[in-house]
Amino acid sequence: MFSVRIVLLPLFLTTLFFSGCRSGSTEADGGFQDAHSFANTDSVHIRHMDLTLNVDFEKRTLSGVVSLKIDNFKKARTLILDTRDLEIFKVEAEGENPQRHYSLGESGKGYMGLPLTIDLQAGDSIISVAYKTSPRAAALQWLAPEQTAGKKYPFLFSQSQAILARTWIPCQDTPGIRFTYTATVQVPRDLMALMSASNPQQKNKTGIYHFEMEQPIPSYLLALAVGDLRFRAFDERSGVYAEPEMIDKAAYEFADTPRMIKTAEKLYGPYRWGRYDILVLPPSFPYGGMENPRLTFATPTVITGDRSLVSLIAHELAHSWSGNLVTNATWNDVWLNEGFTTYFELRIMEALYGRDYEQMLEQIGYQDLLRTLEELGKDSPDSRLALNVDDRDPDEGLSLIAYEKGRSFLKMLETEFGRSRFDAFLKKYFDTYAFQSMDTERFTRYLRDNLIKHRRRVESQIHLRQWIYEPGLPENCPVPDSPEFRKVDEQRMAFLKGAAAGQLKVQGWTTHHWLHFLRALPANLTHSRMADLDKTFKLSASPNSEIAFAWFLQAINHNYSGALPYIERFLLHVGRAKFVVPLYAALNKQDAYKKFAREVYKKAREGYHPVTYSAVDRVLK
Ligand code: BES
Ligand code: ZN
């Protein structure tokens, strides 16, 4: 899901990589089955995980032992775990004759990996698996020193969502199961390790780091990063990690984090994870952000120097409630994570930066939603909130629908029932289901019981069923309006009527004004008009990744070749899929640029995370 809110995947692309997974998961009597997991979660649940890992930068492998404390509530004779590209050495239980027989099964689907079936004996409660990852593990990116800010040390990070945890840890890899974890990680002495857990704030001399996550989490929130890292505190419960070269900039950019946390707590209740820290990754990080608990992973491409892209932090922080606390039961229910989080994100942004700002974000999201619907086709099943990605890689079913249609649905409820009632409803929802998983049916029931209160007329008036189970957009979808963007529209009109770029009134424009200006440029602008914009506003050379990206797409679509050298530099430096994939797709659509796209990709590919290069491979294949 790279094409998130602000993105712009051309439509065929959107379909290509946002299509979803199979669900079939209900949690009746403790047992449930997720189409994206081989694990026999209908009879055994992992309760705690203990990891001991050695990080080998030379071989590009993690190796060690995972010990799983299991609750075998149906006295199953086997424990089935998810694995992908793992080498398994040994499986043991506790006690005498610890060795347990195991076998790796088969799977027709590469993204699913292979089931590891372990024979259990009566009373087995801890199972340990000794294993090693592949250098090509899809969750992991091993960076050479040149790919870091400091250029001196290598770097490693993981990305487990949606179903990549199994490429670095054998586990029940489904969001429907949660467990606590502890870990001991050995890294080269000049590096520091961080996880989605309690973290060090300084390097130690041994290179051995201990971690503890005392709240139960699903597997997709397991995370690890290793690099030459520094920490800077914002206040007593939050701070930021980055390479030494980036730490000042990162600390400045995200300085509002403590206020964001307080604002979020005021809205929907206490932050329940202890610390909230941010880790700024190298530019090859494939996402904008990832809500790893206690430690949000963030792309450096939101560090602009003017704090204009910090809604990303509001978003990842909001996941501490919507997603990490109340978790989508399967990837068919991903709108319960992303739609709620996008709604919550904008509430934080409104409270902190005002309604004008929030309306710009809303408008951009709404435009993304309309574009996504157009690309998917309005009857596409992938435009439903209740997805069915059972037979696909979950990343393929995911689109901005989960984010923006999900957000619009909640905004509609807010409008219908009033903000204070809706807020009380959401707060109670997070409290009631804290540390549990939630599927679409269960949420719908909760909504009927607690907000709609079984008033039939209300239910049909708000088109409840249509919103959740049908494709397209119901007629009562809120249409946002942004006074700020109307000013931008005026300037764009003036330009289209012939005013020179230099005559436009752009004083005080923020990143979002520019995005709105650029995204709505018409297809028929001539080369010289494009050049006028570029020369006047230095768009090709913009250090702001969002502005550069919006401009590059226009440049490509208008055959404005002046931007090509900048596009090449961008693609060689940045690996964020939301930018990279649409750029290659746009280049590939123009006969004149097909060769250029391939040449750049040949050089850039090895610098991308597996998530990014797999998606680009599909586009350029
Ligand atoms: N959890 C997502 C990232 C994700 C989703 C990874 C699905 C893998 C599968 C994260 O919270 C997210 O939505 N990131 C967005 C940020 C945004 C909408 C502010 C991104 O990366 O662009
Ligand atoms: Zn998200």
Side-chain angles (χ1 to χ4, degrees):
M1 83 117 213
F2 321 125
S3 91
V4 197
R5 196 143 50 65
I6 308 184
V7 183
L8 10 50
L9 289 199
L11 110 167
F12 74 95
L13 246 187
T14 311
T15 18
L16 233 168
F17 59 105
F18 297 54
S19 15
C21 59
R22 146 222 156 181
S23 75
S25 59
T26 50
E27 249 178 303
D29 68 282
F32 94 104
Q33 187 61 47
D34 169 358
H36 289 106
S37 172
F38 291 112
N40 53 336
T41 49
D42 54 349
S43 34
V44 191
H45 289 176
I46 298 177
R47 293 298 183 200
H48 180 79
M49 168 184 284
D50 180 61
L51 266 177
T52 307
L53 286 177
N54 181 60
V55 178
D56 186 335
F57 278 95
E58 242 122 71
K59 300 206 181 84
R60 299 193 156 189
T61 58
L62 304 178
S63 60
V65 177
V66 62
S67 293
L68 302 169
K69 185 164 188 306
I70 57 170
D71 174 9
N72 187 354
F73 56 94
K74 291 234 178 102
K75 304 213 173 356
R77 322 249 316 240
T78 59
L79 169 66
I80 307 176
L81 301 177
D82 293 297
T83 73
R84 181 176 156 197
D85 298 330
L86 296 180
E87 198 176 327
I88 308 295
F89 301 123
K90 188 160 81 171
V91 177
E92 289 186 345
E94 289 185 308
E96 289 170 26
N97 300 319
Q99 206 106 318
R100 291 292 175 270
H101 180 264
Y102 66 89
S103 62
L104 277 176
E106 283 168 35
S107 141
K109 296 169 184 164
Y111 62 83
M112 289 285 289
L114 303 175
L116 170 65
T117 302
I118 297 164
D119 292 345
L120 296 178
Q121 293 179 11
D124 282 354
S125 68
I126 295 185
I127 295 293
S128 300
V129 182
Y131 72 100
K132 185 171 101 180
T133 62
S134 155
R136 282 166 306 282
L140 305 179
Q141 188 177 10
W142 299 86
L143 302 184
E146 310 76 67
Q147 291 178 272
T148 65
K151 319 270 179 227
K152 263 184 34 213
Y153 300 99
F155 201 106
L156 164 71
F157 65 85
S158 68
Q159 167 56 44
S160 296
Q161 194 182 5
I163 55 169
L164 302 178
R166 65 192 67 181
T167 72
W168 66 289
I169 309 172
C171 61
Q172 293 185 323
D173 195 8
T174 165
I177 297 291
R178 5 182 21 109
F179 46 86
T180 53
Y181 83 88
T182 44
T184 302
V185 179
Q186 162 96 258
V187 303
R189 270 165 224 255
D190 33 19
L191 303 183
M192 178 156 79
L194 299 174
M195 293 191 81
S196 49
S198 60
N199 274 308
Q201 293 183 347
Q202 272 179 341
K203 278 185 211 174
N204 68 39
K205 292 202 183 80
T206 64
I208 299 173
Y209 295 90
H210 298 286
F211 302 91
E212 179 168 9
M213 168 45 77
E214 56 185 41
Q215 291 89 354
I217 60 159
S219 59
Y220 78 91
L221 295 176
L222 289 162
L224 170 68
V226 180
D228 178 28
L229 293 165
R230 298 289 182 280
F231 174 76
R232 182 79 56 77
F234 298 130
D235 67 1
E236 49 315 312
R237 69 166 161 175
S238 68
V240 60
Y241 295 87
E243 286 187 71
E245 295 71 16
M246 285 295 285
I247 193 73
D248 288 336
K249 285 185 206 143
Y252 176 81
E253 200 78 21
F254 302 138
D256 275 346
T257 302
R259 289 171 63 211
M260 287 188 177
I261 304 172
K262 284 180 206 124
T263 304
E265 290 186 306
K266 232 187 263 161
L267 283 167
Y268 302 127
Y271 177 78
R272 306 196 194 210
W273 304 87
R275 295 195 57 86
Y276 178 79
D277 294 318
I278 298 165
L279 167 62
V280 175
L281 290 141
S284 67
F285 186 60
Y287 292 106
M290 178 63 213
E291 64 270 28
N292 296 316
R294 295 179 68 112
L295 186 65
T296 282
F297 281 24
T299 174
T301 63
V302 292
I303 299 185
T304 54
D306 63 7
R307 301 181 176 169
S308 63
L309 297 174
V310 297
S311 60
L312 178 97
I313 302 301
H315 180 97
E316 305 312 334
L317 170 67
H319 272 305
S320 308
W321 288 258
S322 41
N324 298 3
L325 199 57
V326 182
T327 306
N328 52 207
T330 74
W331 299 114
N332 288 337
D333 309 302
V334 68
W335 75 279
L336 296 176
N337 278 18
E338 298 301 345
F340 279 59
T341 294
T342 305
Y343 174 81
F344 193 171
E345 166 199 340
L346 293 209
R347 292 295 304 275
I348 296 171
M349 295 306 285
E350 178 183 337
L352 280 184
Y353 306 109
R355 180 89 172 120
D356 279 353
Y357 192 157
E358 188 273 345
Q359 284 175 311
M360 291 197 284
L361 297 176
E362 233 185 289
Q363 182 74 42
I364 282 182
Y366 183 70
Q367 287 166 4
D368 284 336
L369 174 58
L370 297 185
R371 203 202 44 249
T372 304
L373 283 168
E374 208 174 287
E375 291 170 359
L376 289 170
K378 67 175 179 11
D379 298 326
S380 163
D382 287 345
S383 72
R384 296 176 304 193
L385 288 179
L387 276 179
N388 181 353
V389 284
D390 284 356
D391 298 321
R392 290 176 281 177
D393 181 331
D395 286 355
E396 283 177 29
L398 181 57
S399 71
L400 290 177
I401 294 294
Y403 291 75
E404 295 300 337
K405 187 177 174 182
R407 187 199 67 78
S408 299
F409 172 59
L410 299 183
K411 181 78 190 173
M412 179 279 291
L413 292 175
E414 177 203 307
T415 313
E416 285 299 328
F417 294 92
R419 192 171 260 198
S420 68
R421 252 202 289 171
F422 188 58
D423 281 351
F425 164 82
L426 279 184
K427 183 157 191 272
K428 186 169 155 217
Y429 168 71
F430 292 131
D431 281 345
T432 307
Y433 296 105
F435 301 107
Q436 297 179 43
S437 53
M438 178 59 59
D439 65 27
T440 300
E441 281 66 49
R442 197 138 156 248
F443 170 73
T444 308
R445 246 182 286 134
Y446 185 79
L447 180 66
R448 286 201 172 104
D449 291 345
N450 293 278
L451 197 64
I452 298 174
K453 310 218 162 107
H454 301 282
R455 288 169 296 184
R456 283 260 184 79
R457 210 171 38 87
V458 174
E459 183 165 329
S460 74
Q461 210 175 297
I462 65 172
H463 305 296
L464 179 65
R465 198 189 37 85
Q466 197 190 343
W467 268 103
I468 295 180
Y469 296 103
E470 289 183 17
L473 264 197
E475 65 182 28
N476 65 338
C477 180
V479 179
D481 173 43
S482 162
E484 286 300 304
F485 280 179
R486 275 188 262 133
K487 294 187 215 158
V488 172
D489 291 335
E490 278 167 26
Q491 296 307 306
R492 195 190 313 95
M493 279 304 278
F495 178 69
L496 297 181
K497 286 205 184 116
Q503 296 173 306
L504 302 182
K505 300 198 186 78
V506 302
Q507 295 87 340
W509 278 16
T510 66
T511 297
H512 297 96
H513 293 86
W514 281 109
L515 292 181
H516 185 61
F517 180 81
L518 293 171
R519 285 161 51 126
L521 288 177
N524 60 2
L525 282 186
T526 62
H527 185 276
S528 75
R529 305 245 62 203
M530 291 292 285
D532 184 23
L533 288 175
D534 197 9
K535 223 175 112 217
T536 309
F537 302 122
K538 310 232 169 357
L539 294 165
S540 289
S542 173
N544 181 307
S545 63
E546 290 284 357
I547 293 174
F549 170 67
W551 169 248
F552 290 160
L553 275 187
Q554 293 291 5
I556 295 166
N557 295 337
H558 287 83
N559 262 293
Y560 171 67
S561 304
L564 285 188
Y566 298 92
I567 294 175
E568 170 163 10
R569 198 179 61 180
F570 187 91
L571 290 171
L572 286 169
H573 181 66
V574 173
R576 185 173 173 190
K578 167 183 130 163
F579 296 147
V580 164
V581 178
L583 286 175
Y584 281 111
L587 288 167
N588 196 44
K589 270 207 298 210
Q590 306 275 16
D591 283 338
Y593 298 153
K594 276 197 159 78
K595 196 160 145 257
F596 172 81
R598 280 176 172 71
E599 281 167 9
V600 174
Y601 189 44
K602 222 166 134 192
K603 290 183 266 178
R605 189 178 185 278
E606 66 169 8
Y608 295 153
H609 186 280
V611 161
T612 302
Y613 70 68
S614 317
V616 180
D617 284 351
R618 277 178 266 167
V619 166
L620 293 186
K621 77 170 172 279

